[in-house]
């Protein structure tokens, strides 16, 4: 550290001394170097792009202010040694920046040289993520790092639901570090690289054939190819010959393929037939006027023979790289006016005499660190988009295009960005809308996969030479209907086995398997230990009544549940006598009150209607009250009465209908209540069971014991382990006083099977500790997902219910027999319509009766007035007298009223004709 500070001080002293004698005018020219492979897919387009950019910079008066930009290019020829030699050669000529290289391996070596002389290295093609480490503080890149690209690739794999992939890559810095980044990204998504197929840098057809033939023995069928641009498309040519471009395969590629295909001249477009169905990434370049103008100029250069290749994305980045350096040089010269170099400090670099290279004689860019700071703050609009660098000197990502090769065309099916994920809308538009990544919004257009199919491939098969799956099954000693091994035939059968075998029919590929019974058949095996054997690679899967619980999900993957396994309480259903007041339970208190009130109301209405015409409703008040009440009760037994008036009959019909409905409802409700009263249990649920001091039974092997002790804090001394259904029945019948148990806590499927054979017991209260059964597989096994899909199809097709009925309904499906201490009662709200109808009819009858009485009374009084006028007798019109007379008139019998009318007509002077 001390030597470093001293060297920096010496450099600044040299700069100050130089500025003291140097001319303050800007230099006539500035040199920058470029080291890359001329004869390559990227190099050919980069060379033309950089030459165009230098020409544009030198012809633009707003940049460099008359200082000419000179570009010195050296051919690295895909060789790190030759690339390093080229870097020495351009540094000897006094360049202040090196552009390139396109090779990540070459960038590692040249970065060390550039760092020593404080000259930044700006690459438009080296994507190795490790180049952004602190080890290379002067390395910049205008192309997106593979760390960003591998994040997009991992999202693409996850988006399509694939769990394992095979990678084909170059075994160099570019390939290894890119795949390492992909592995990290996949691991973050609980995905993985199942196999790695490494290729040498100069791979040939024999090497490719050997590796791809080797991959046929693997189950994954999703390939990720990460190599250098290859105009011959050798990997896909061999894959096509090996029948590996069919619908069983998925081929995903990084942006090397897009660069290769875009560099093809129109005459070579037929080569796209080799990569039909391939899906890849291409660095996204936002649309702009500058981009369109640049493309137009490039096509013109092609026609004029200046450019001998088609334009790919690296042509955009190379062009913008020259402009990035030019803008930074312009800003640097505005501050420092000139560019100075100094001899290397011998204390910083070891002597290199004897090896032919004298690194210590190279000149150091005196203000290199300041130039790097200016470069880091670059911010302008280029042909590839906005040019800005992050703190790790990487270009800020603009995302990727997702491309699909179909019908010899490159089809864009969507976009990806770290900000918004997958979409069919360009990332720059979503960024303006402040759109955030949401999983349900992820979308791509339709993709045509290898083989011409649009249905997404499974990406995983059982390999031809794969060993059969080792499937562990519990050899149960109790509840053998779920799964067990028959002693005579050693056949594995049961409810769980039937579901598993039927689900295999819904998986679109053959799965060889062999059942491995676990247990001695005398006691149920430990299920936690059985599941643990999957993690220990003893079994590939376990099929049986395996509850999906937290500690098991940490070591295995479960399929979609195929049965509910909530814990329930089973207890005896006591057939006891009903209590003395059970007959009152069908109706609620308000219902009983309204019924009683209705009897009195109907009695009053009938009395009013019948008092004038029916002798039974006349006489002393006591007799009339008794008659009125008894008549309303008698309607329960009399459906026809010819002695009553028509209005009374109308009311009675409605009243009788109401009584019939109430009586029928009462009878049905009472029958149900008497049944419940006969089938009752002192236990109402798990709470009352825990609160009691009774012993509780549970099944050995289920998770009932651990749940009761760990979650409900039940004393283990109260828990009694039980085995087969016979022990269940005996223990429950004996009860706590007879050495048995008061209730049993077990999983619902076991209880359903037990109750299908026993009618003296039932489920008490509600289920608790809700869980499910599923098939267990090794972690990240694609079979777990495929089996889940198959189970859902079983449920949708009704096959799952048929299998359930086959095993649980041999004696008729028992359902859930539950005791209900609070039977449903009938309330007033259920009959308010009938009561309202009855009330309306009664009111109508009373109104008609009163209108008739008022009419008779008015007529009678009119005749009286006529008689009084002829006899000159005064009439009494006092209000109270009128009311009294009216009620006296109503109280008289109908025959008496008629007689009064007759007398009034025949003898108007008879005083007896008055009321």
């Amino acid at each position: 550290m001390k030597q470093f500070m001293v060297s920096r001080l010496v450099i600044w002293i040299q700069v100050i001394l130089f500025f003291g004698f140097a001319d303050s005018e800007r230099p006539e020219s500035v040199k920058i170097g470029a080291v890359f492979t001329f004869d390559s897919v990227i190099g050919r387009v980069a060379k033309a792009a950089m030459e165009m950019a230098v020409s544009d910079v030198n012809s633009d008066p707003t940049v460099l202010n008359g200082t000419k930009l000179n570009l010195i290019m050296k051919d690295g020829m895909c060789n790190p040694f030759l690339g390093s030699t080229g870097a020495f050669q351009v540094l000897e000529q006094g360049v202040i920046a090196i552009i390139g290289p396109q090779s990540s391996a070459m960038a590692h070596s040249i970065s060390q040289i550039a760092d020593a002389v404080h000259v930044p290295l700006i690459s438009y093609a080296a994507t190795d993520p490790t180049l952004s480490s602190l080890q290379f503080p002067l390395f910049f890149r205008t192309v997106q790092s593979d760390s960003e690209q591998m994040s997009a690739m991992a999202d693409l794999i996850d988006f399509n639901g694939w769990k394992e992939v095979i990678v084909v890559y170059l075994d160099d810095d570019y390939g290894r570090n890119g795949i390492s980044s992909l592995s990290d990204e996949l691991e973050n998504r609980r995905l993985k690289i199942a196999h790695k197929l490494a290729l040498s840098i100069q791979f040939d057809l024999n090497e490719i054939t050997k590796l791809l033939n080797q991959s046929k023995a693997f189950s994954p069928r999703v390939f990720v190819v990460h190599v250098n641009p290859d105009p011959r498309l050798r990997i896909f040519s061999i894959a096509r010959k090996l029948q590996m471009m069919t619908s069983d395969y998925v081929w995903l590629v990084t942006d090397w393929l897009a660069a290769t295909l875009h560099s093809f001249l129109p005459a070579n477009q037929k080569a796209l037939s080799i990569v039909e169905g391939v899906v890849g990434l291409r660095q996204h370049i936002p649309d702009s006027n500058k981009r369109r103008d640049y493309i137009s100029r490039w096509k013109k250069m092609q026609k004029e023979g200046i450019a001998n290749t088609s334009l790919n994305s690296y042509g955009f980045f190379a062009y913008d790289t020259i402009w990035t350096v030019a803008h930074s040089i312009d800003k640097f010269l505005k501050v420092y006016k000139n560019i100075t170099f100094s001899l290397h400090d011998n204390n910083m670099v070891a002597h290199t005499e004897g090896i032919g290279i004298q690194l210590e004689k190279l000149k150091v860019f005196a203000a290199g660190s300041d130039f790097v700071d200016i470069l880091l703050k670059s911010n302008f609009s280029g042909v590839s988009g906005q040019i800005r660098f992050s703190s790790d000197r990487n270009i800020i990502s603009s995302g990727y295009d997702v491309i699909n090769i179909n019908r010899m065309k490159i089809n864009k099916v969507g976009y990806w960005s770290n900000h918004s994920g997958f979409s069919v809308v360009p990332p720059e538009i979503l960024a303006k809308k402040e759109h955030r990544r949401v999983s349900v919004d992820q979308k791509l257009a339709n993709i045509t996969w290898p083989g011409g199919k649009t249905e997404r491939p499974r990406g995983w098969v059982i390999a031809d030479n794969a060993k059969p799956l080792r499937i562990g099954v519990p050899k149960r000693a109790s509840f053998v209907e779920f799964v067990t091994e028959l002693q005579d035939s050693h056949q594995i059968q049961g409810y769980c086995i039937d579901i598993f075998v039927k689900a295999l029919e819904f998986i679109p590929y053959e799965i060889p398997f062999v059942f491995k019974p676990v247990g001695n058949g005398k006691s149920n095996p430990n299920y936690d230990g059985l599941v643990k054997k999957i993690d220990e690679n003893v079994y590939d899967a376990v099929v049986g009544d395996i509850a999906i619980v937290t500690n098991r999900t940490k070591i295995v993957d479960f399929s979609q549940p195929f049965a509910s396994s909530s814990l329930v309480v089973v207890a005896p259903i006591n057939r006891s006598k009903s209590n003395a007041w059970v007959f009152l339970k069908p109706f609620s208190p308000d219902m009983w009150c309204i019924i009683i009130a209705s009897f009195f109301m109907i009695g009053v209405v009938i009395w009013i209607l019948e008092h004038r015409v029916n002798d039974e409703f006349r006489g002393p008040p006591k007799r009339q009250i008794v008659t009125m009440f008894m008549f309303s009760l008698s309607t329960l037994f009399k459906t026809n009465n010819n002695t009553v008036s028509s209005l009374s009959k109308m009311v009675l019909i409605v009243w009788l209908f109401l009584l019939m409905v109430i009586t029928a409802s009462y009878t049905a409700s009472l029958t149900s209540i008497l049944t419940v009263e006969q089938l009752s249990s002192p236990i109402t649920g798990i709470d009352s069971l825990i609160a009691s001091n009774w012993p509780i039974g549970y099944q050995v092997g289920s998770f009932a014991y651990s749940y009761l002790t760990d979650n409900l804090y039940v004393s283990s001394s109260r828990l009694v382990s039980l085995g087969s259904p016979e022990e269940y029945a005996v223990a429950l019948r004996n009860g706590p006083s007879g050495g048995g148990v008061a209730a049993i806590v077990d999983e619902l499927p076991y209880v359903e099977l037990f109750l299908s054979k026993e009618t003296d017991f039932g489920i008490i209260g509600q289920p608790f500790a809700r869980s499910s059964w599923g098939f267990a597989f090794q972690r990240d096994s694609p079979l777990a997902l495929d089996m889940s899909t198959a189970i859902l199809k079983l449920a949708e097709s009704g096959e799952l219910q048929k299998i359930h009925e086959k095993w649980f309904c041999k004696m008729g499906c028992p359902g859930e027999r539950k005791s209900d201490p609070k039977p449903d009662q009938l309330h007033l709200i259920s009959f308010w319509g009938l009561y309202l109808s009855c009330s309306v009819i009664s009111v109508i009858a009373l109104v008609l009766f009163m209108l008739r009485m008022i009419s008779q009374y008015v007529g009678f009084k009119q005749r009286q007035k006529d008689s009084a006028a002829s006899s000159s007798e005064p009439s009494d019109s006092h209000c109270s007298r009128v009311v009294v007379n009216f009620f006296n008139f109503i109280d008289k019998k109908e025959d008496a009223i008629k007689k009064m009318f007759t007398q009034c007509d025949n003898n108007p002077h008879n005083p007896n004709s008055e009321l």
Side-chain angles (χ1 to χ4, degrees):
M1 184 66 181
K2 184 176 180 181
Q3 290 180 348
F4 177 75
M5 294 300 293
V6 171
S7 63
R8 295 281 291 183
L9 180 60
V10 171
I11 291 172
W12 278 108
I13 292 174
Q14 292 173 341
V15 172
I16 294 171
L17 290 176
F18 181 85
F19 282 153
F21 299 100
D23 189 358
S24 61
E25 295 182 0
R26 294 167 68 100
E28 292 184 0
S29 64
V30 177
K31 299 176 183 178
I32 59 174
V35 181
F36 61 99
T37 302
F38 291 179
D39 187 19
S40 65
V41 170
I42 296 176
R44 284 189 291 271
V45 70
K47 186 175 185 296
M50 288 190 290
E51 289 173 346
M52 183 195 301
V54 170
S55 176
D56 291 345
V57 169
N58 289 331
S59 63
D60 191 340
T62 63
V63 183
L64 293 180
N65 195 21
T67 299
K68 184 179 180 181
L69 184 67
N70 290 334
L71 177 63
I72 304 171
M73 294 187 288
K74 295 295 179 181
D75 190 356
M77 300 179 67
C78 288
N79 188 297
F81 174 75
L82 295 178
S84 300
T85 302
F88 283 121
Q89 291 173 346
V90 296
L91 286 172
E92 287 176 348
Q93 299 187 47
V95 299
I96 67 170
I98 300 177
I99 295 177
Q102 65 201 45
S103 165
S104 296
M106 196 182 299
H108 278 270
S109 59
I110 296 180
S111 290
Q112 302 286 352
I113 300 171
D115 289 349
V117 294
H118 300 169
V119 172
L121 180 66
I122 307 102
S123 177
Y124 54 82
T127 57
D128 178 4
T130 63
L131 288 168
S132 299
S133 65
L134 297 176
Q135 182 183 358
F136 308 106
L138 301 186
F139 179 82
F140 289 77
R141 61 175 136 216
T142 55
V143 66
Q144 298 180 69
S145 167
D146 274 343
S147 62
E148 193 80 4
Q149 179 170 212
M150 294 310 175
S151 178
M153 182 61 71
D155 275 352
L156 182 61
I157 295 168
D158 191 29
F159 176 78
N160 287 282
W162 300 311
K163 298 298 183 181
E164 297 180 352
V165 298
I166 298 174
V167 294
V168 181
Y169 65 101
L170 285 184
D171 195 8
D172 63 355
D173 292 332
Y174 158 74
R176 286 192 303 270
N177 294 330
I179 294 304
S180 176
S181 180
L182 175 62
S183 179
D184 293 340
E185 294 292 340
L186 290 175
E187 187 176 348
N188 291 338
R189 295 161 179 79
R190 291 192 63 187
L191 314 175
K192 70 176 183 179
I193 296 176
H195 305 280
K196 295 181 179 181
L197 306 180
L199 292 169
S200 61
I201 298 176
Q202 301 297 333
F203 60 87
D204 57 20
L205 298 180
N206 291 331
E207 185 179 358
I208 298 171
T209 303
K210 179 181 178 182
L211 286 180
L212 293 186
N213 268 324
Q214 175 186 343
S215 70
K216 285 188 172 181
F218 306 144
S219 293
R221 287 292 185 265
V222 180
F223 288 79
V224 178
V225 183
H226 184 55
V227 296
N228 287 328
D230 180 17
R232 292 191 290 164
L233 302 174
R234 289 169 289 177
I235 292 175
F236 293 105
S237 297
I238 297 300
R240 191 181 185 90
K241 291 180 181 179
L242 296 177
Q243 302 296 315
M244 297 177 67
M245 297 296 290
T246 61
S247 57
D248 287 336
Y249 290 84
V250 176
W251 291 93
L252 308 177
V253 294
T254 52
D255 65 345
W256 69 268
L257 181 63
T260 302
L261 300 181
H262 282 297
S263 66
F264 284 176
L265 294 173
N268 298 333
Q269 292 298 311
K270 292 184 179 179
L272 270 66
S273 62
I274 298 176
V275 288
E276 286 281 320
V278 174
V279 177
L281 298 175
R282 177 179 63 194
Q283 303 203 44
H284 177 64
I285 299 177
D287 188 28
S288 65
N289 292 331
K290 287 186 176 182
R291 176 180 180 272
R292 290 192 290 268
D293 180 63
Y294 181 66
I295 294 173
S296 178
R297 291 174 60 194
W298 190 277
K299 290 180 179 179
K300 184 178 179 181
M301 289 170 55
Q302 277 187 285
K303 291 180 180 180
E304 296 174 352
I306 300 174
N308 61 352
T309 180
S310 295
L311 179 62
N312 60 36
S313 58
Y314 293 95
F316 290 89
F317 304 139
Y319 181 87
D320 281 343
T321 302
I322 295 292
W323 276 96
T324 302
V325 175
H327 282 299
S328 299
I329 293 174
D330 184 51
K331 293 177 182 178
F332 179 84
L333 291 177
K334 288 178 180 179
V335 177
Y336 296 96
K337 305 300 181 183
N338 212 329
I339 296 172
T340 61
F341 293 89
S342 63
L343 291 176
H344 211 295
D345 184 3
N346 292 336
N347 294 324
M348 293 179 62
V349 181
H351 291 280
T352 55
E353 290 89 348
I355 63 173
I357 300 177
Q358 296 180 353
L359 183 60
E360 68 276 6
K361 291 186 178 181
L362 291 176
K363 293 180 180 180
V364 177
F365 182 16
S369 60
D370 296 315
F371 182 67
V372 167
D373 291 338
I374 293 173
L375 193 64
L376 189 61
K377 296 176 183 177
S378 298
N379 189 358
F380 70 96
S381 179
V383 295
S384 63
Q386 197 67 21
I387 305 300
R388 289 183 299 151
F389 293 103
S390 60
S391 58
D392 58 359
R393 304 168 306 285
N394 284 318
I395 194 74
I396 293 178
S397 173
S398 57
Y400 286 84
D401 298 337
V402 182
I403 62 172
N404 176 218
I405 316 302
N406 182 32
R407 297 181 180 178
M408 291 190 293
K409 291 183 180 179
I410 302 174
N411 300 316
K412 187 192 304 179
V413 295
Y415 306 88
W416 177 92
S417 75
N418 198 27
H419 175 77
S420 57
F422 291 109
S423 71
V424 293
V425 180
E428 59 271 17
I429 296 178
L430 294 178
K432 292 178 181 178
K433 297 179 180 179
E434 297 184 355
H435 178 84
R436 293 289 178 183
R437 178 189 292 214
V438 181
S439 58
V440 294
D441 293 339
Q442 304 294 290
K443 185 179 180 181
L444 290 175
N446 292 333
I447 295 176
T448 301
W449 302 98
K453 291 188 176 180
T454 56
E455 183 182 356
R456 180 183 302 162
R458 296 185 309 273
W460 190 88
V461 298
I462 298 294
D464 296 338
N465 60 347
K467 296 180 180 179
L469 292 179
R470 302 158 298 171
I471 299 179
V473 292
K475 188 176 181 180
R476 293 191 59 90
S478 62
F479 292 102
V480 294
E481 289 84 353
F482 289 102
V483 56
T484 195
E485 180 187 29
L486 300 180
Q487 292 184 354
D488 2 351
S489 62
H490 298 287
Q491 181 183 359
I492 307 298
Q493 70 171 24
Y495 168 68
C496 301
I497 300 299
D498 281 2
I499 292 178
F500 177 76
V501 173
K502 192 67 178 180
L504 291 180
E505 298 178 7
F506 289 84
I507 296 179
Y509 53 89
E510 293 295 328
I511 301 179
F513 65 90
V514 57
F515 287 129
K516 301 284 187 180
V518 180
N520 54 19
K522 299 179 181 178
S523 61
N524 296 327
N526 182 277
Y527 280 18
D528 285 335
L530 182 57
V531 171
K532 190 176 181 181
K533 289 184 178 180
I534 301 178
D535 185 49
E536 296 171 351
N537 200 30
V538 177
Y539 301 116
D540 298 301
V542 169
V543 171
D545 47 334
I546 311 297
I548 305 174
V549 293
T550 304
N551 65 315
R552 296 173 185 172
T553 58
K554 294 178 180 179
I555 58 175
V556 298
D557 283 348
F558 280 94
S559 69
Q560 170 79 15
F562 61 84
S564 172
S565 63
S566 305
L567 293 181
V568 293
V569 179
V570 183
I573 298 177
N574 301 320
R575 301 183 180 276
S576 57
K577 295 181 180 180
S578 301
N579 63 69
W581 301 100
V582 70
F583 67 91
L584 294 176
K585 289 186 178 182
F587 292 151
S588 59
D590 58 342
M591 186 67 181
W592 279 117
C593 292
I594 200 67
I595 290 174
I596 295 172
S598 298
F599 278 105
F600 283 104
M601 183 195 75
I602 293 298
V604 171
V605 171
I606 296 300
W607 179 83
I608 292 174
L609 298 177
E610 296 296 320
H611 179 67
R612 300 179 67 247
V613 298
N614 197 327
D615 291 336
E616 295 182 8
F617 290 87
R618 301 189 67 84
K622 181 179 179 181
R623 177 189 172 189
Q624 293 187 48
I625 292 173
V626 172
T627 302
M628 175 182 65
F629 181 69
M630 293 303 297
F631 188 85
S632 63
L633 288 176
S634 68
T635 56
L636 287 171
F637 314 102
K638 294 182 180 181
T639 57
N640 184 26
N641 194 331
N642 295 323
T643 64
V644 297
S645 64
S646 59
L647 288 178
S648 297
K649 288 181 179 179
M650 180 178 67
V651 175
L652 287 173
I653 289 173
V654 177
W655 174 240
L656 284 172
F657 179 73
L658 173 64
L659 289 178
M660 289 171 61
V661 173
I662 292 176
T663 303
S665 302
Y666 175 87
T667 303
S669 180
L670 181 61
T671 302
S672 174
I673 289 173
L674 288 173
T675 302
V676 172
E677 288 288 329
Q678 292 293 325
L679 305 175
S680 62
S681 172
I683 301 172
T684 59
I686 187 64
D687 296 332
S688 60
L689 181 63
I690 295 173
S692 67
N693 291 319
W694 299 326
I696 304 171
Y698 70 96
Q699 181 197 173
V700 177
S702 72
F703 69 94
Y705 176 81
S706 59
Y707 186 89
L708 290 171
T709 54
D710 297 341
N711 296 78
L712 301 179
Y713 307 104
V714 178
S715 172
S716 58
S717 61
R718 290 175 51 195
L719 297 176
V720 180
S721 63
L722 299 172
S724 63
E726 291 76 15
E727 292 183 56
Y728 274 29
V730 172
L732 288 172
R733 287 193 175 96
N734 289 339
S737 59
V741 296
I744 293 173
V745 176
D746 206 345
E747 297 173 55
L748 181 59
Y750 300 126
V751 170
E752 287 182 328
L753 185 61
F754 171 67
L755 294 181
S756 67
K757 304 174 183 178
E758 298 286 344
T759 59
D760 294 335
F761 311 101
I763 297 174
I764 307 302
Q766 299 297 322
F768 64 101
R770 299 184 182 276
S771 185
S772 301
W773 286 356
F775 302 132
F777 297 89
Q778 290 186 353
R779 292 300 293 266
D780 303 322
S781 170
L783 264 179
L785 179 61
D786 289 344
M787 183 59 68
S788 296
T789 304
I791 290 173
L792 289 175
K793 291 180 179 178
L794 274 180
E796 292 169 358
S797 64
E799 292 294 332
L800 198 62
Q801 181 61 28
K802 290 180 181 178
I803 297 174
H804 181 275
E805 292 174 358
K806 170 186 173 183
W807 289 96
F808 292 88
C809 301
K810 294 179 180 179
M811 300 175 62
C813 293
E816 291 184 354
R817 290 188 290 273
K818 297 182 179 181
S819 67
D820 190 353
K822 295 182 180 180
D824 292 335
Q825 290 182 318
L826 298 175
H827 296 268
L828 176 62
I829 192 173
S830 302
F831 300 91
W832 73 270
L834 283 174
Y835 278 110
L836 179 62
S837 301
C838 185
S839 301
V840 169
I841 296 299
S842 299
V843 170
I844 291 173
L846 288 174
V847 169
L848 292 176
F849 173 78
M850 292 304 296
L851 290 175
R852 179 184 175 192
M853 291 298 98
I854 292 173
S855 177
Q856 284 186 347
Y857 181 72
V858 170
F860 177 74
K861 295 301 294 181
Q862 185 61 43
R863 293 186 182 185
Q864 275 192 329
K865 287 182 180 180
D866 294 341
S867 300
S870 62
S871 61
S872 301
E873 294 182 1
S875 61
D876 190 357
S877 59
H878 193 273
C879 181
S880 60
R881 182 63 181 170
V882 171
V883 173
V884 172
N885 289 341
F886 176 71
F887 280 103
N888 288 336
F889 181 82
I890 294 176
D891 188 55
K892 292 184 178 294
K893 290 188 63 176
E894 185 71 21
D895 294 340
I897 295 297
K898 292 179 180 179
K899 185 177 180 182
M900 290 170 59
F901 271 96
T902 303
Q903 291 178 352
C904 187
D905 292 336
N906 297 333
N907 190 7
H909 301 287
N910 189 353
N912 294 330
S913 64
E914 297 183 359
L915 292 176

